[in-house]
Every structure is written in C-alpha cells, then in structure tokens.
Amino acid sequence: MDNKQLLNRMKEDVVKFISLQFTDVSGTVKSVDMPVNQLNNALVDGVWFDGSSVEGFARIQESDMRLQIDPATYAVLPWSPEDLRRARVFCDIYRPDGTPFAGDPRGALKRQLARIRKQGWMLNVGPEPEFFLFKRNGPSTIHPVPHDVGSYFDFSANDEAVQVRTKLMDALNSMGLEVEVGHHEVALGQHEIDFRYTDALKAADNILTLKYTVKAIAAQHGLVASFMPKPIFGINGSGMHCHQSLFDENGNNLFFDPDDTYHLSRLAYCFIAGQLAHARALTAIVAPTINSYKRLVPGYEAPVYICWAQTNRSALIRIPRYTPGRDKAVRCEFRCPDPSANPYLALAAMLAAGLDGIDRDMMADDGLNDDINIYQLTREEREERGITELPGSLSEALHELENNGVIKDALGEEVYDTFYRAKLAEIEEHRLTVSDWEVERYLETA
Ligand code: GLU
Ligand code: MG
C-alpha cells in the first residue's frame, strides 16, 4: 500500500484517529496519536518526537527523532468505538540527518534481513504465542486467578473462554494476521493463537499486534490477559515457539531436501547448528526477563537442554513431522523464546545465530532419539551425549551475551548497550527485593 492508497483506505474505513507505533528496546509499544487530517503531512515529512523520553533512544542534546510511517502495516483497531474509529501503523525511526536510528529495534531486524536479501533469501517465521486469561482477584491484580477450568484442546460450547478466543481470532483476522488455530493450552486458563507463517518483519509486527489485541479484548470482557512467561508456580508457563525456514526468491523452501531422513537440507542443518551454538547468549534476548527463567525448567514442556530432535518437546529445537507433499512446511521450531521478548530483537538475534552456522558451515550433531525424555536423563547421561544446558537465570544469560560477538553485532551497539543496562538494572532490583518466598522460608526459621 502506498501513501495515496493509505489515505483512501482510511476514508473508506471512516477512521478518525491513527496511532503511529514503534517499540523501545524491551518491546513496549509506544504510540504517537493524531487525527487523520494531520496524516497527509506526516506521510510526507514524517513525525518528529522527543526521543530522550524513550528509554535508551537519545541523549537530551540530540533528542529529535523522526517517525517514518510504514503504510503496509495499516490496520483498523477493531475494538475502537465506531464513532471514534482508530487505526494503527508501525513506524521506522530516523535521525534528524535522515539516517536510520541505530537504536530502533525494528531497524535491527531490518538490518539482519537485508543481509539475506542480498542472497535473494527471505526468512519465514510462524510464532506460537501462549498466554493466560485471568480474572481479577478482588480489586488487586497482583494474584489473579485463572478464569476457566479447561485444559489442552478442551471444548465446551458455553465456555466463556471459547467466546473470548473467538472474538480474538475474529479481531486478529480483520487485522490481517491469518489466524490458523486457537486452542486451550495445557495449563488452567492458558491459551494459544497461532497465525500463518510470514516474512520475519511482518511476523514480528504481528506478534505485537496479537499481544495488544488480546489485552484490549480481554479487558472488554473484564479479564486480564498476561504474556508473563511463568505466572503460576507448578504449572506450564507461556512460551512463544518460533517456526523458521529460509526461502529463495522463487518461493522454494531452502530447508527442504527430499532425500534426508528428516527432509532437512544441509543449509537447515547449518542453521540449526548455529542456533544451538549461540543458544546460551540468544536466550538473553528471546527470554529476557527474570521470570523467563522460572519457565525454562524441567517438566513443563519448555526447553532446558541444548539439543535438537524430531517431535520431542523437551528439546530446544524441534523438527515437526513431515507431511508428504508439504515441502514448504519443512521447518525448525526454536522453543526457548517467550512472549516477554521484543519480537524484532528476538528474530534478529535468532537469524544472526542461524546465519553464523551457515557462514561457518557448522554441522548439527545427530538429533536426539524421540523416545528419550531429556528431562529424565541424569547429568552423566547428558554429558555422554554432549548435551549442555540453557542459562538458569537472566544474569547468567546476560553474561553469555556479553561474551558473544555474533549476537551483539546483530543488535548493534546502541541497542545492545541499552538492553544491557536495562537488564542489569532489572537484575539488581530483583536482587534487592525481599520476596514472599524468603519471608515464608526464613522469618521464623532463621
Ligand atoms: N507451554 C510450553 C512452553 O512453555 C509449551 C507447550 C507446547 O508444546 O505447546 O514452552
Ligand atoms: Mg503451545
């Protein structure tokens, strides 16, 4: 869609306001809103804003930043009231001198994608964000309760959760996400909505769209939607597995080889080997909160050990079973990301890791046998197989990132510095906090 088509489309949709959106490094969606009559100028000149107020964006003395609208990302926000119809577009961020702002997370993903475009390749990603729907527990939101009693794939026609999920799927479809499936996940109150794979930039935009749409529509039903990786101790957490494949410019799947046992090409094996090799540093970006590491523990279908397998859900990378004739669907699923990640940075870092595997012609070792549950292997048995572990905390992951040039380069210096500082502060704040667990454990026994 070009600028003129965008203006026409907004007239047809009777849109009154438009939100110009971008994210900070942690993935929080920021927005500058304007009435549509201002949009013409904004499309030509961009929109200036004070970047110094956005964490990590600019120093006070060089605070002017320009938002450049990406018209292809136009979507009406279906929950906005009809008489005050609102739409949104995602934006890229530029400096006053007209160069792209290096601290823009969307820009970081675009830089990685430009690397493969030179070879005529594109990265397809199919993300699977999981989330919980909670009811408020009285006026407090601190300890919400799951709002339904369903479990994996349960169906009950009058279930309120089914009604909310149907509204969500309808809203997301209207925003161009091509929802493929929505279902109840394993845990109480937990859901998943998967949308069709698409090129990585659109997939990252779609993840943000999904998150705020789910939150807005849940709120209309008096519910709280949460993408927190592990909101409840003792049951499954929420992941955001990412299915990935590289395609050439003719739409051929470069990960497909009909003659291989797993139908994977050599390129796919190199990509997998690269992600396994960088997994410990990658985790800091794809599972970036203190809470993320409460999810990456044995026993809850989240990965802990660094290996790959077919179908086996305890492995970090899974190769979904091949359906004859569906060559384009051959892909690898990276399972440690969770929905608290900034999707642009997560996909940029994952791509850089895979490309390093290709550039250095790394070869993945044999995949893990499907009848082995890695959660049940002893440390010795894992060592015999050369299986290492993901970091056990944000602090450990951040340390790995600090020492990983490939992932740091993928972020770029400005994004990396901001991310690193923000995460150090988060770790320190957590370290100083006295938790309920500590009070229960030590108050009387110490
Ligand atoms: N909820 C699990 C996780 O944290 C994944 C369940 C599944 O395989 O879909 O990754
Ligand atoms: Mg799932």
Side-chain angles (χ1 to χ4, degrees), residues 55-74:
E55 168 61 24
F57 264 25
R59 287 186 295 275
I60 283 290
Q61 64 274 27
E62 48 180 61
S63 59
D64 288 340
M65 298 268 153
R66 193 166 60 81
L67 292 177
Q68 186 65 49
I69 293 168
D70 181 348
T73 62
Y74 167 81

Side-chain angles (χ1 to χ4, degrees), residues 244-246 253-257 263-265 267-268 271 330 332:
Q244 320 151 86
S245 51
L246 288 170
N253 183 359
L254 296 167
F255 277 11
F256 174 67
D257 178 348
H263 300 92
L264 290 174
S265 65
L267 197 84
F271 190 90
V330 170
C332 58

Side-chain angles (χ1 to χ4, degrees), residues 128-130 152 183 185 191-192 194 239 241 313 335:
E128 296 183 342
E130 297 173 329
Y152 199 54
H183 62 85
E185 251 303 341
H191 304 268
E192 176 174 319
D194 301 336
H241 311 158
R313 281 166 197 271
R335 289 176 65 85

Side-chain angles (χ1 to χ4, degrees), residues 377-432:
L377 296 182
T378 62
R379 177 178 289 275
E380 291 73 35
E381 286 168 331
R382 287 198 307 272
E383 273 167 12
E384 264 169 41
R385 292 177 161 81
I387 300 174
T388 51
E389 288 182 34
L390 290 173
S393 66
L394 180 59
S395 163
E396 198 181 325
L398 203 61
H399 182 69
E400 292 287 335
L401 176 64
E402 224 181 325
N403 295 309
N404 189 306
V406 169
I407 308 298
K408 278 162 81 172
D409 281 353
L411 304 180
E413 206 179 314
E414 298 198 37
V415 170
Y416 170 74
D417 284 348
T418 312
F419 181 84
Y420 185 79
R421 264 187 289 115
K423 291 298 147 186
L424 268 192
E426 189 174 328
I427 290 165
E428 190 59 3
E429 190 182 318
H430 177 248
R431 191 179 74 81
L432 299 178

Side-chain angles (χ1 to χ4, degrees), residues 247-259:
F247 276 35
D248 70 14
E249 49 207 336
N250 301 319
N252 299 313
N253 183 359
L254 296 167
F255 277 11
F256 174 67
D257 178 348
D259 300 327

Side-chain angles (χ1 to χ4, degrees), residues 254-326:
L254 296 167
F255 277 11
F256 174 67
D257 178 348
D259 300 327
D260 177 69
T261 322
Y262 296 101
H263 300 92
L264 290 174
S265 65
R266 183 174 176 89
L267 197 84
Y269 281 112
C270 295
F271 190 90
I272 290 169
Q275 291 197 329
L276 293 176
H278 293 291
R280 284 177 56 81
L282 255 183
T283 310
I285 308 295
V286 303
T289 59
I290 298 269
N291 183 253
S292 297
Y293 295 83
K294 313 243 155 119
R295 165 180 168 254
L296 299 174
V297 296
Y300 300 100
E301 296 185 296
V304 185
Y305 304 110
I306 301 175
C307 60
W308 71 277
Q310 193 186 47
T311 66
N312 195 324
R313 281 166 197 271
S314 57
L316 174 61
I317 295 180
R318 189 177 77 97
I319 312 302
R321 201 173 287 286
Y322 174 69
T323 312
R326 297 206 54 211

